[in-house]
């Protein structure tokens, strides 16, 4: 499992850099646009070459904010229940912006929410003790994604009509809640829990970058040309 979700974007020209690399808790996407620039800029003078770092840094920042918008408005709601519409926007920030001298930008998850990272890759969650309590009900989490203290397994049995159900050997089986004439499971105790991969953070970040970066770069270069002293008015 990773601790935080982070997406790192780097653009290079004039050197050979691998396209994509990944590490624990961070994915990095690198564009090497040397060939494209050489083709596009072979007939222009030094003024326009000097505009490239400005255009690149602007395009990278535009792209990263588009990535953040997609994660917040589409990727997160597709994976999790949104009880507070403002909350996803608080989870991710563009914590590093590209400049002409540093063509790197970073999107970072700024709040620690374990359930988010658990669903990035999925897998198996194992208990620190003999069993793990797996929630069976919605409504246990607050609007900011945490399970309410009073709703955690060690405390929820203090609530009215809520009790621990054990097996014949005394082992913990379920936490049950009586609602009228019905009994509902709140938690099931298991030896391990399977976590489904459902939060496509990195997949959508890569996809959005590939969709929008070239358009942003084209817009930024056109803007530089249009505002230059060489552009006829």
């Amino acid at each position: 499992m990773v601790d935080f979700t982070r997406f790192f974007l780097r653009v290079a020209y004039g050197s050979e850099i691998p396209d994509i690399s990944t590490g624990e808790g961070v994915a990095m996407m690198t564009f090497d646009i040397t060939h494209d620039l050489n083709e596009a800029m072979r007939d222009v003078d030094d003024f326009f070459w000097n505009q490239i770092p400005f255009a690149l840094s602007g395009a990278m920042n535009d792209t990263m904010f588009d990535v953040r918008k997609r994660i917040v408005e589409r990727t997160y709601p597709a994976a999790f229940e949104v009880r507070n519409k403002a909350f996803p926007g608080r989870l991710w920030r563009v914590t590093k912006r590209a400049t002409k001298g540093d063509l790197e930008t970073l999107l970072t998850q700024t709040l620690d929410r374990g359930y988010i990272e658990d669903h990035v890759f999925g897998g198996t969650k194992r208990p620190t003790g003999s069993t793990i309590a797996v929630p069976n009900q919605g409504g246990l989490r607050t609007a900011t994604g945490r399970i309410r203290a009073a709703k955690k397994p060690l405390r929820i049995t203090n609530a009215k009509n809520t009790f621990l159900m054990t097996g014949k050997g005394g082992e913990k089986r379920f936490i049950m809640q009586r609602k009228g004439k019905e009994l509902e499971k709140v938690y099931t105790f298991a030896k391990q829990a399977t976590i489904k991969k459902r939060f496509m953070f990195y997949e959508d970040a890569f996809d959005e970058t590939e969709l929008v970066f070239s358009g942003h770069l084209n817009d930024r270069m056109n803007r530089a040309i249009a505002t230059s002293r060489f552009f006829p008015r």
Side-chain angles (χ1 to χ4, degrees):
M1 303 298 174
V2 299
D3 293 327
F4 287 91
T5 48
R6 293 177 292 166
F7 181 63
F8 183 78
L9 176 62
R10 172 189 291 162
V11 172
Y13 61 100
S15 61
E16 191 70 30
I17 296 180
D19 290 336
I20 296 174
S21 64
T22 58
E24 184 178 355
V26 62
M28 181 172 71
M29 190 169 190
T30 301
F31 286 104
D32 185 345
I33 59 172
T34 305
H35 176 74
D36 293 337
L37 280 179
N38 287 338
E39 289 293 313
M41 307 294 285
R42 60 186 176 183
D43 295 324
V44 302
D45 59 23
D46 289 342
F47 170 81
F48 294 108
W49 272 104
N50 292 335
Q51 300 307 302
I52 292 174
F54 294 98
L56 283 173
S57 61
M60 292 174 67
N61 293 329
D62 294 341
T63 297
M64 191 60 86
F65 279 101
D66 280 350
V67 170
R68 178 184 178 274
K69 180 179 176 68
R70 177 162 170 178
I71 297 298
V72 168
E73 296 184 3
R74 295 166 54 190
T75 310
Y76 183 91
F80 307 109
E81 178 186 7
V82 179
R83 303 183 64 205
N84 179 344
K85 291 183 178 180
F87 176 63
R90 292 170 52 200
L91 279 168
W92 288 279
R93 292 283 186 268
V94 178
T95 54
K96 180 179 181 181
R97 299 193 187 198
T99 65
K100 66 174 184 176
D102 186 10
L103 296 176
E104 297 178 348
T105 180
L106 179 65
L107 179 69
T108 304
Q109 180 186 330
T110 56
L111 298 176
D112 185 6
R113 295 294 185 271
Y115 72 93
I116 293 175
E117 296 83 39
D118 287 348
H119 290 282
V120 170
F121 297 111
T124 301
K125 189 170 186 178
R126 293 179 172 83
T128 54
S130 58
T131 58
I132 186 170
V134 181
N136 293 108
Q137 283 187 357
L140 295 174
R141 297 187 184 276
T142 67
T144 59
R146 295 187 183 276
I147 292 182
R148 296 178 176 87
K151 299 286 187 180
K152 291 184 177 181
L154 293 178
R155 295 184 58 182
I156 196 170
T157 52
N158 295 328
K160 184 179 180 181
N161 296 326
T162 306
F163 59 93
L164 175 66
M165 181 179 289
T166 60
K168 292 181 179 179
E171 71 279 8
K172 292 183 287 188
R173 296 291 305 279
F174 310 105
I175 293 178
M176 307 293 294
Q177 191 171 71
R178 188 180 300 280
K179 292 188 176 181
K181 295 182 180 180
E182 302 293 327
L183 283 177
E184 293 185 5
K185 292 178 184 176
V186 183
Y187 287 96
T188 297
F189 290 92
K191 297 294 184 183
Q192 60 186 33
T194 299
I195 299 173
K196 181 181 178 182
K197 173 183 170 67
R198 58 175 174 163
F199 183 44
M200 305 303 176
F201 176 85
Y202 296 117
E203 291 86 349
D204 284 3
F206 286 136
D207 183 63
E208 188 69 16
T209 300
E210 290 178 338
L211 282 173
V212 305
F213 176 74
S214 61
H216 284 311
L217 181 57
N218 186 60
D219 289 344
R220 289 283 181 166
M221 288 301 295
N222 287 339
R223 193 181 308 173
I225 293 170
T227 57
S228 75
R229 67 181 183 274
F230 302 105
F231 190 76
R233 290 175 172 81

